[in-house]
Amino acid sequence: MTRTKTKILLDDGDPQETQRIRRLVGFLDGQTTNPSLIAKNPEVKKLVASEHGLSVREQMAEYRKIVEVISPLVGDAGVSIEVFAEENTTAEEMLDQAREMFTWIPNAFIKYPCTREGLRAAEQSVGSDIRVNMTLCFSQAQAAAVYAATNGAKVPVYVSPFVGRLDDIGENGVDLVANVKRMYAAGDGHVAVLAASIRTIEQLLYCFSIDTDLVTVPAKVLDDWARNSFPMPDGNFKYTATGKPMLYQELAVAWAGKTVHTAVWKEPVRGRRMARRLNIDGDGQGDLAGHGGEHRAVFVYQIDSYRYWQSELRRNDFTHGQFGENFTVDGLSDQEVCIGDRYRIGSALFEVTQPRVTCEPTLRPLLSEGRGRTFG
Ligand code: E4P
């Protein structure tokens, strides 16, 4: 088979499979693992089923043994090892595991979730030259946050958009891979896109067709690919989308010789929008370490403040959404609204959680050179 520009990794937790697939395909650039894949490893299954079971320490020891065998079998894309993390796991707890895991093998990449805490852990990791693979990426905003959190990294960084799982919820998962690639194209290349959660040969071929940096593939899909004599996408290749398109969001802005990721400029929309725990559909945040999250999911700004800035700056070209707000409201002045107040809009209930926080480093320069001129 012809080598593609896209590096091929195996998504599996069993070294026997690494050997088998390497023979089948002829090479493996790397491998990704995660706790669920490790739990499916035949040896681990036996141990878990035994009377004794496995303590947390023993699980770590088994995980280590497995990646030690895989490590020399794969190429320079390395072996991704995932920290054990739940909803409340802190960056510090992830880092403790990461520091240990990174010493297990010479080609380790540490997998952190694309969450606020995962991003904090990644930022500190790259600062100490720990390679990271930011997993569970479901949106372009998360990929932008990975870029921002790992800026200046001297070691390789991966971001893993989850294609199959997006398909599972009715989105066209491969669009995210293409969108992130497009967004990063204006950047300095410090983050590589690793397409993950691949379920079909079609998805694999799509990743090849757009020269995705890396793709991690379950053995079953690679078996199918081999059985079909390793087809490659040609000029006529057309991907059959299964879900609704994921539209490209303009989050990358060139500023002062750097690429800044921001979703600060909003456009007014008509009709209903779904409000979720972390966001309103169609919105995003470029810097998730500073913005977004449950307590900053929605940003409100008053028309009165627009009037103030119009007169202060002698301008009349502001459009709603100019200040990065999700809701431009008439009334609801800062004097009358209190933290804890609740407002119902349609069937969604919103709670006031904190005052506005001006994003000095991003807003001032962006607004001064972009759509606006200043923001106090
Ligand atoms: C890769 O790093 C991921 O662990 C993997 O692709 C998970 O995908 P899935 O759980 O949807 O199969």
Side-chain angles (χ1 to χ4, degrees):
M1 56 148 298
T2 27
R3 288 294 290 260
T4 61
K5 279 197 189 152
T6 306
K7 291 188 176 172
I8 301 177
L9 289 75
L10 175 66
D11 200 15
D12 203 285
D14 179 3
Q16 302 280 347
E17 286 291 88
T18 317
Q19 308 242 28
R20 185 179 72 78
I21 295 292
R22 196 170 73 140
R23 276 195 302 272
L24 182 75
V25 178
F27 69 95
L28 268 179
D29 291 307
Q31 183 148 343
T32 50
T33 65
N34 64 39
S36 337
L37 292 172
I38 296 297
K40 286 187 200 146
N41 175 294
E43 293 305 312
V44 173
K45 269 170 125 175
K46 265 191 240 156
L47 290 168
V48 172
S50 72
E51 229 172 89
H52 169 60
L54 278 182
S55 67
V56 174
R57 239 16 272 171
E58 287 165 333
Q59 288 172 29
M60 287 283 264
E62 287 307 312
Y63 201 166
R64 176 179 187 153
K65 272 196 239 162
I66 291 168
V67 296
E68 278 175 346
V69 184
I70 296 170
S71 169
L73 300 174
V74 299
D76 64 1
V79 182
S80 292
I81 310 171
E82 186 165 327
V83 297
F84 294 85
E86 288 168 340
E87 213 180 331
N88 297 325
T89 309
T90 63
E92 287 66 32
E93 287 164 341
M94 291 186 210
L95 272 164
D96 279 348
Q97 297 178 55
R99 287 194 194 100
E100 184 187 331
M101 289 166 156
F102 197 67
T103 64
W104 290 352
I105 49 174
N107 51 352
F109 277 72
I110 301 301
K111 278 171 83 178
Y112 294 117
C114 278
T115 58
R116 181 178 299 263
E117 292 303 299
L119 288 163
R120 282 214 300 126
E123 189 172 2
Q124 294 197 44
S125 296
V126 296
S128 358
D129 290 346
I130 292 180
R131 295 175 289 268
V132 299
N133 172 357
M134 300 305 290
T135 191
L136 291 161
C137 174
F138 296 103
S139 71
Q140 210 189 308
Q142 283 177 305
V146 169
Y147 187 99
T150 57
N151 233 336
K154 290 187 195 69
V155 283
V157 173
Y158 299 156
V159 65
S160 293
F162 264 46
V163 174
R165 298 227 201 156
L166 282 163
D167 279 18
D168 291 345
I169 55 164
E171 311 268 0
N172 190 36
V174 294
D175 284 348
L176 179 60
V177 181
N179 291 345
V180 175
K181 208 173 162 293
R182 175 174 161 194
M183 174 173 73
Y184 285 172
D188 59 12
H190 80 273
V191 187
V193 183
L194 193 175
S197 184
I198 295 294
R199 307 267 163 81
T200 63
I201 301 185
E202 260 230 307
Q203 291 168 343
L204 176 64
L205 298 193
Y206 180 86
C207 294
F208 291 158
S209 73
I210 60 163
D211 291 340
T212 308
D213 302 307
L214 314 103
V215 60
T216 185
V217 197
K220 187 185 157 305
V221 177
L222 291 171
D223 279 330
D224 285 351
W225 189 44
R227 207 172 303 116
N228 285 281
S229 314
F230 303 106
M232 284 293 170
D234 58 19
N236 298 322
F237 175 75
K238 248 194 151 23
Y239 183 79
T240 318
T242 48
K244 77 173 177 348
M246 296 184 77
L247 301 181
Y248 183 75
Q249 291 174 289
E250 211 48 73
L251 299 180
V253 177
W255 172 68
K258 284 191 291 188
T259 299
V260 180
H261 292 103
T262 177
V264 66
W265 295 313
K266 315 281 190 231
E267 299 293 337
V269 289
R270 288 193 174 280
R272 290 154 67 95
R273 279 291 177 282
M274 176 67 92
R276 302 182 193 273
R277 191 165 62 94
L278 297 178
N279 237 332
I280 294 179
D281 276 5
D283 185 28
Q285 291 88 27
D287 169 14
L288 281 181
H291 306 128
E294 235 174 285
H295 299 286
R296 293 185 185 177
V298 168
F299 171 30
V300 180
Y301 203 59
Q302 301 99 337
I303 287 179
D304 256 352
S305 304
Y306 272 82
R307 292 192 189 108
Y308 170 82
W309 286 114
Q310 271 163 7
S311 108
E312 181 75 9
L313 302 169
R314 297 200 181 91
R315 289 181 58 178
N316 58 7
D317 60 335
F318 290 138
T319 55
H320 293 166
Q322 178 99 32
F323 294 94
E325 76 274 20
N326 299 101
F327 297 149
T328 315
V329 294
D330 203 359
L332 299 182
S333 76
D334 290 349
Q335 286 69 36
E336 76 190 66
V337 173
C338 298
I339 289 173
D341 284 358
R342 290 177 172 196
Y343 296 88
R344 185 173 289 285
I345 305 175
S347 55
L349 186 63
F350 296 88
E351 182 172 315
V352 179
T353 53
Q354 54 182 255
R356 255 188 326 267
V357 181
T358 305
C359 172
E360 188 67 27
T362 307
L363 271 181
R364 186 184 285 278
L366 286 178
L367 286 176
S368 63
E369 292 185 12
R371 289 198 344 191
R373 278 206 290 267
T374 188
F375 190 79

